Structures are given as structure tokens and as C-alpha cells.
Amino acid sequence: MPGSRTAEGENRSYFHFFSDFRDYNVTALRIGETSALAFIFLLALAGNIWGIYLLVQRQHRLSAANCLVLNLFCADLLFITAIPFIAVVRWTESWVLGDVVCHMLFYVMSLSGTVVILSLSAVSLERVVSIARLRQAALRRRKELAAALLLIWAFAALATLPLCCFFSVVRLPAAGEEKQICTLVWPSTAGEIFWDVTFATFFFLVPGLVIVISYSKILQITKASRRSLNAGLAYSENHKIRVSQQDYKLFRTLILLMISFFIMWSPIIIIILLILVQNYKQDLSILPSVFFWIVLFTFTNSAVNPILYNVAHFRRKCQEIFLCCTGNIVRHGAGTETTARKSNHEQPNLFFISR
């Protein structure tokens, strides 16, 4: 990674992030990068808007878990707003977007990513509380739910505020001319180490641990309830935990969201820590192009989230839309369709387990 001399005369090495000064013709590579960015942007935009639409359509019976998933979709939409700016930087190489965008770009990306992981953590807690019936009115009141959502956004905004403050435009000599990059300039190395380690621990590892523990508890309850059902055990009405088929389906969907998040966000967390290590090991060189493709992989999570949730949770609606688009509409009698729907609603397929 190239070094530079600051205005005060101090030698310092800066990571270029998305600026990549290449001394050869890379038009084909730029077209490929832009095409990949555009594809992910459009897919994530359509998927998240579709997911928000389907959830809002069910507003008369929108659960707390679905509200938290709705919050996740909104965070994903905010996250992908960075894609057009990144495409511009990959073409111009030098930073031409100004100081304000430099301060806000990485702040918005880290803010929305933090909201996603906190929302997944919150929905896992809500599910285990709801299924175990530890609290009958957990996050069911609108004021409590609104407060929880506001707390998630406020906590994420405060935790990622240093990125807004310390990302700035730096001028570097490159190939006989001065070029600009948007990079992270911490006042002290100790502060950078503290923030990186704290952020990775409390906003990645701890929420991940909460999610794993919560879903392990739900899985334990579900398995026990199925064993009880198979054994034909009877319990009194006041001493049982109900795990409906709908709860179990939502549980499986959220498990997929959790797995995809950690697979697609782990590389960006690792490379951020490697950028920190690079300050001490000058022989460790991380190319901006490597950082770009890892970030692109992370953006893919914003497109995968709504696909996983919508297809798994609204499978019937997805099938109807697909059949409508392909013209293969299977028509049923009105009486038959009504009877089937009533049957589905009247038999929620509950499993039981004693407390």
C-alpha cells in the first residue's frame, strides 16, 4: 500500500479503500465491476421493496417479529444506497465526491450493517420469548415495539459515529500528480485498536452469540414438543408451551437469514481487522481491489435477505406471482379455495411441551 507525506511532514501509510490507482488500461475490468454493482443494486432494491410490500399488506396481523424483519429490509435499502457512489469512485479512481460524501458513505454503510445484525438479534430474542411464553405481551404493544426499533437505530448510529468523524479526504502524490482518496484517519492508533476490537466484539460476536443461543433454545423446545406429541402425552392447559407450524416456519426462515449474514459479513469484519494489523506489519499488503470485491460480496447479503425471507415465508404468494407471470394459472372453484383456506386457518398444527 503506497505511503504519503502529510502536510505536517509526517510519513504515514493510508489505505485507499475504493480508490485504486492503476497504471494500465482497465476499462473492461471497470465495466465488469459496474455491471456487478448494478446487478446487485437492482436485485436488492427490487427484493427489499417487494418484501416491504408483502409485509405491509399483512399490517392487520403484523407480528413483532415481522416488524423487526421489516426494519431489516429498510436497513438493507439504506445499505445499498452506497453502491452508486462506489461505482463512481471505481471509474474516477481519485476521490471527486467531496468531503461530505466521504464522511457519510462509510458511516451509512456501517450504520445500516449494524442495524441489520441488531435486528436479527432482536428478532431472535422476540421469538424465543414469544414461543416459550415467558412474557405474554413481549413487544406486542406499538409503543414498546417503536421504542425497540428507535433504540436499535440510535445505538447503531452512536456506535458507528467515529467513522463519520474520522473518514476524510487526503491528498496523495501519485504518478507525478496529486490525487485524492477518502480514507480513515484516526487521531491515535490506540483509539483505532479500541474501536475496531470493541465494534467487532459487541456488534458482531455478541449479537451472533445471542442469535445462536436463542435459536438453539427454540430448536430444543421444538424437538421436545414433537417428542411429546409423538409419545401422545397429555398436559393441562396451564402447563404447556405451544409451537405452531407458523412459528416453526418463521424460525427456519430466520435461521437462514442468520447463516447468510454471518457468511457474507465475516470477510468484511476480517479485512477491517487486517487493515488495522497492516499499520504494524508493512509487509502485509491489502489491495483496494480485494477490499472492493469483499464489499461487493457483503452487498450481496442485502439481495439475499429478502429472497430467503419472501420465498420461505410467502411461498404461496410467490407461486401465485410466478404462475401469473408465466401465464400458467391454475384456476380453482371458489368454494374449494375458500374451504381450503378455512381448513388451513382452523388447523394451526400446534405442538405442545410442558414448562
Side-chain angles (χ1 to χ4, degrees), residues 15 24 26 32 36 46 66-68 111 113 141 151 199 201 204-205 216 228 240 263 279-280 288 300 311 315:
F15 188 70
Y24 53 91
V26 289
N66 285 336
C67 286
L68 291 168
L111 166 64
R141 295 180 180 178
L151 182 62
F199 185 83
T201 301
F204 189 74
L205 296 179
S216 298
S228 300
K240 62 188 177 185
I263 289 176
N279 293 331
Y280 302 95
T300 307
V311 171
R315 186 174 300 174

Side-chain angles (χ1 to χ4, degrees), residues 131-133 218-245 247-248 346-355:
I131 290 175
R133 297 296 190 270
I218 295 174
L219 188 59
Q220 179 185 1
I221 293 173
T222 304
K223 287 183 177 180
S225 63
R226 283 183 167 179
R227 285 197 301 267
S228 300
L229 183 64
N230 293 335
L233 299 178
Y235 299 94
S236 65
E237 185 67 25
N238 295 327
H239 295 84
K240 62 188 177 185
I241 295 177
R242 302 179 179 182
V243 183
S244 68
Q245 191 68 30
D247 283 337
Y248 186 67
E346 290 172 358
Q347 298 178 3
N349 297 324
L350 296 178
F351 304 114
F352 301 102
I353 177 173
S354 62
R355 291 186 185 274

Side-chain angles (χ1 to χ4, degrees), residues 124-180:
S124 69
L125 287 174
E126 191 280 334
R127 283 292 82 201
V128 72
V129 169
S130 177
I131 290 175
R133 297 296 190 270
L134 299 179
R135 182 183 175 193
Q136 291 293 337
L139 287 181
R140 289 182 181 177
R141 295 180 180 178
R142 290 186 178 182
K143 290 183 179 180
E144 292 181 1
L145 182 58
L149 295 176
L150 182 61
L151 182 62
I152 288 174
W153 282 93
F155 197 34
L158 184 62
T160 54
L161 187 59
L163 296 183
C164 179
C165 298
F166 301 136
F167 260 99
S168 57
V169 178
V170 175
R171 292 174 174 81
L172 300 176
E177 60 177 325
E178 190 177 68
K179 293 188 176 182
Q180 298 184 140

Side-chain angles (χ1 to χ4, degrees), residues 334-344:
T336 306
E337 183 178 1
T338 303
T339 304
R341 289 182 179 177
K342 285 184 179 180
S343 176
N344 289 336

Side-chain angles (χ1 to χ4, degrees), residues 14-286:
Y14 296 105
F15 188 70
H16 290 186
F17 289 91
F18 296 118
S19 295
D20 199 355
F21 304 131
R22 295 165 282 200
D23 55 358
Y24 53 91
N25 192 346
V26 289
T27 302
L29 180 59
R30 288 171 179 168
I31 293 175
E33 292 175 349
T34 305
S35 300
L37 285 170
F39 175 75
I40 293 175
F41 177 78
L42 294 175
L43 185 62
L45 182 65
N48 284 282
I49 291 177
W50 180 34
I52 292 172
Y53 170 76
L54 291 177
L55 285 172
V56 171
Q57 287 290 99
R58 305 169 73 242
Q59 60 181 350
H60 60 285
R61 52 192 181 97
L62 195 60
S63 65
N66 285 336
C67 286
L68 291 168
V69 173
L70 186 65
N71 188 58
L72 184 149
F73 289 162
C74 292
D76 278 334
L77 284 177
L78 179 63
F79 186 53
I80 63 172
T81 57
I83 290 181
F85 299 98
I86 294 173
V88 171
V89 178
R90 298 304 290 175
W91 277 92
T92 62
E93 295 187 347
S94 181
W95 185 266
V96 297
L97 299 175
D99 292 333
V100 174
V101 176
C102 179
H103 285 296
M104 295 303 299
L105 179 63
F106 292 91
Y107 176 62
V108 168
M109 291 174 62
S110 57
L111 166 64
S112 52
T114 305
V115 170
V116 169
I117 182 64
L118 291 179
S119 296
L120 287 173
S121 180
V123 78
S124 69
L125 287 174
E126 191 280 334
R127 283 292 82 201
V128 72
V129 169
S130 177
I131 290 175
R133 297 296 190 270
L134 299 179
R135 182 183 175 193
Q136 291 293 337
L139 287 181
R140 289 182 181 177
R141 295 180 180 178
R142 290 186 178 182
K143 290 183 179 180
E144 292 181 1
L145 182 58
L149 295 176
L150 182 61
L151 182 62
I152 288 174
W153 282 93
F155 197 34
L158 184 62
T160 54
L161 187 59
L163 296 183
C164 179
C165 298
F166 301 136
F167 260 99
S168 57
V169 178
V170 175
R171 292 174 174 81
L172 300 176
E177 60 177 325
E178 190 177 68
K179 293 188 176 182
Q180 298 184 140
I181 62 171
C182 177
T183 190
L184 187 58
V185 183
W186 284 88
S188 66
T189 304
E192 183 178 7
I193 294 174
F194 176 78
W195 185 88
D196 282 355
V197 174
T198 302
F199 185 83
T201 301
F202 289 97
F203 294 95
F204 189 74
L205 296 179
V206 172
L209 186 61
V210 170
I211 292 171
V212 170
I213 293 174
S214 298
Y215 288 153
S216 298
K217 179 65 176 178
I218 295 174
L219 188 59
Q220 179 185 1
I221 293 173
T222 304
K223 287 183 177 180
S225 63
R226 283 183 167 179
R227 285 197 301 267
S228 300
L229 183 64
N230 293 335
L233 299 178
Y235 299 94
S236 65
E237 185 67 25
N238 295 327
H239 295 84
K240 62 188 177 185
I241 295 177
R242 302 179 179 182
V243 183
S244 68
Q245 191 68 30
Q246 182 180 3
D247 283 337
Y248 186 67
K249 183 172 67 173
L250 180 58
F251 161 70
R252 289 184 302 177
T253 303
L254 295 174
I255 282 287
L256 292 176
L257 291 179
M258 177 199 72
I259 293 173
S260 68
F261 177 87
F262 283 105
I263 289 176
M264 296 182 180
W265 277 84
S266 293
I268 191 66
I269 298 295
I270 293 172
I271 199 170
I272 287 173
L273 295 176
L274 288 177
I275 291 173
L276 175 62
V277 173
Q278 195 174 235
N279 293 331
Y280 302 95
K281 298 193 65 168
Q282 297 297 323
D283 55 336
L284 176 63
S285 179
I286 303 173

